[in-house]
Amino acid sequence: IEGLGTAENPSIGLNLTEDQQERLGKKVDELFQEADNSRQTWRNKIRSDLKLYYGQKEEVNFPFKNAANIHVPLVRIIKETLQANLVGSFDFTKPIRVMPVGPEDKDKVSKIQKYLNWQFVNEIPWFDLVDKSVDGALLYGRIPLKVRYLQETQLNPETQKLELLFDGVKVDILLPESILTPPDSMDADVDKMEYIMHEFQISQSDLRRRQKSGLYKNVEMSLKKFGETRIDKDNIDLVRDIRVGIDKYTQKTGKPTLLEVYLYYDINDDGIDENVVVTLLKETKTVLRADYWVLPRPFVLVIFSSVDGKADGESFIDLLEEINRELNTLHNQRVDAVTLTN
């Protein structure tokens, strides 16, 4: 739920002292460094996997100049076939089936089922959501979804009144590297994790808008410390950019990076950890928001092939990687042998 709380809303804004904010910001930064360090190996692995998936190969000059260097798209063909079969198994006209718990629920089932099916078909891009979730789970091993309740309004220039544009559920499909989890997580259930962290960029205008609406605090103070920075693109972004024809590896950005963290933390110094949500401006380590959070955490990790004892999944590329590389090698050796014979 986006917005500070009321008596009816379980998301409650907290007024922290400067010392509490400083300690909280330091704690979140420590957790980020811990999670970020643990995902570096995964980043490099995904970069290598994506290059194999897209058929990006280095120039080969052995055993002679311009030796055969053909990529056999085995992984991609099988993965896209499996994706089509999985997506085709869903009913996109009536995705929800409601079952009664007891006899007293029989009269309610039909109405609830019709409403939920209407909401999924009309308010949530259900086909797109399923297709991209299956694609990401197969490609990366896991794909995170973020579920939000959102109200969107727009000012009518004629009446000068706010009109409601949207009031309902939004489901965001996130990039897998934007979600950070504890390295020792043994379950993909996000509510059982010590913390789950969403890293994203936001414009300075949106930051000010959120402060004006009461969602964030300390925005102006943070932006004074924040300057335009030059960032190096992530390893995974390099592959994605090469795929779409972008060859610049650095870019200027005026957008601050936020860390939205759901964690168990003793926020009121009573010796007991509470379930809280914290938003931190990453560059300045300033706490913009600190609330209690009693709802389920708004993330779901969609996993294709789970790994025992870990919150990660095994990607489809992992399963066929060695076979595809061997097939490439055998094919190119055969071509080179014929070339040398000729």
Side-chain angles (χ1 to χ4, degrees), residues 142-206:
R142 76 177 190 185
I143 196 75
L145 308 182
K146 185 176 184 180
V147 185
R148 300 177 292 140
Y149 175 77
L150 186 65
Q151 287 185 336
E152 293 179 347
T153 57
Q154 178 177 292
L155 183 66
N156 188 321
E158 296 180 0
T159 62
Q160 291 298 308
K161 292 183 179 180
L162 288 176
E163 295 181 350
L164 189 63
L165 296 178
F166 181 84
D167 183 5
V169 174
K170 287 276 189 180
V171 182
D172 302 319
I173 303 173
L174 309 177
L175 293 174
E177 65 269 25
S178 69
I179 290 293
L180 295 90
T181 56
D184 57 352
S185 293
M186 300 182 66
D187 196 303
D189 185 346
V190 299
D191 288 304
K192 295 180 181 178
M193 296 178 182
E194 177 190 356
Y195 63 86
I196 183 166
M197 190 176 303
H198 181 202
E199 180 184 18
F200 61 98
Q201 287 190 320
I202 188 173
S203 70
Q204 297 189 23
S205 174
D206 280 341

Side-chain angles (χ1 to χ4, degrees), residues 18-278:
E18 289 187 10
D19 180 60
Q20 287 175 321
Q21 290 189 50
E22 185 176 346
R23 283 190 285 120
L24 180 58
K26 184 178 180 181
K27 175 66 175 178
V28 170
D29 185 60
E30 289 174 355
L31 294 177
F32 173 79
Q33 297 302 329
E34 172 191 67
D36 187 51
N37 290 336
S38 71
R39 67 175 175 172
Q40 295 308 316
T41 301
W42 176 85
R43 285 179 183 271
N44 294 331
K45 179 68 170 61
I46 288 295
R47 182 172 187 254
S48 174
D49 286 352
L50 290 180
K51 292 182 75 172
L52 176 68
Y53 180 77
Y54 289 125
Q56 297 177 18
K57 303 191 71 178
E58 304 294 334
E59 183 179 354
V60 174
N61 290 311
F62 182 84
F64 50 84
K65 187 176 181 180
N66 296 325
N69 193 26
I70 297 172
H71 169 71
V72 181
L74 174 73
V75 171
R76 187 165 186 177
I77 291 172
I78 298 179
K79 175 260 176 188
E80 293 189 354
T81 302
L82 177 59
Q83 178 183 342
N85 290 334
L86 288 173
V87 173
S89 67
F90 283 81
D91 184 349
F92 292 101
T93 58
K94 296 179 180 178
I96 302 297
R97 184 182 179 191
V98 178
M99 300 294 291
V101 178
E104 68 280 2
D105 298 324
K106 289 184 178 179
D107 294 335
K108 305 175 186 176
V109 165
S110 179
K111 292 181 180 179
I112 294 174
Q113 185 167 293
K114 286 181 180 178
Y115 172 72
L116 289 177
N117 279 319
W118 174 86
Q119 188 176 44
F120 266 77
V121 172
N122 294 282
E123 290 193 345
I124 297 172
W126 181 229
F127 177 85
D128 190 57
L129 176 64
V130 171
D131 187 49
K132 289 182 178 178
S133 298
V134 172
D135 177 65
L138 292 174
L139 201 56
Y140 303 107
R142 76 177 190 185
I143 196 75
L145 308 182
K146 185 176 184 180
V147 185
R148 300 177 292 140
Y149 175 77
L150 186 65
Q151 287 185 336
E152 293 179 347
T153 57
Q154 178 177 292
L155 183 66
N156 188 321
E158 296 180 0
T159 62
Q160 291 298 308
K161 292 183 179 180
L162 288 176
E163 295 181 350
L164 189 63
L165 296 178
F166 181 84
D167 183 5
V169 174
K170 287 276 189 180
V171 182
D172 302 319
I173 303 173
L174 309 177
L175 293 174
E177 65 269 25
S178 69
I179 290 293
L180 295 90
T181 56
D184 57 352
S185 293
M186 300 182 66
D187 196 303
D189 185 346
V190 299
D191 288 304
K192 295 180 181 178
M193 296 178 182
E194 177 190 356
Y195 63 86
I196 183 166
M197 190 176 303
H198 181 202
E199 180 184 18
F200 61 98
Q201 287 190 320
I202 188 173
S203 70
Q204 297 189 23
S205 174
D206 280 341
L207 266 179
R208 292 188 175 95
R209 179 182 59 80
R210 294 188 180 197
Q211 174 167 278
K212 189 175 180 181
S213 69
L215 180 62
Y216 292 164
K217 302 175 183 178
N218 306 320
V219 169
E220 291 300 333
M221 177 187 70
S222 301
L223 290 179
K224 287 180 181 178
K225 301 178 183 178
F226 175 82
E228 186 177 276
T229 58
R230 190 173 185 84
I231 63 170
D232 291 324
K233 284 206 168 184
D234 173 79
N235 279 342
I236 304 172
D237 282 337
L238 289 182
V239 179
R240 293 194 184 110
D241 282 353
I242 292 170
R243 181 66 187 160
V244 297
I246 300 174
D247 59 0
K248 293 182 180 179
Y249 296 156
T250 59
Q251 64 179 2
K252 283 188 175 181
T253 175
K255 292 184 178 181
T257 301
L258 300 189
L259 299 176
E260 183 180 280
V261 190
Y262 297 79
L263 75 158
Y264 295 102
Y265 177 78
D266 182 13
I267 202 165
N268 56 6
D269 300 324
D270 63 353
I272 302 174
D273 288 343
E274 290 85 25
N275 195 5
V276 298
V277 55
V278 179

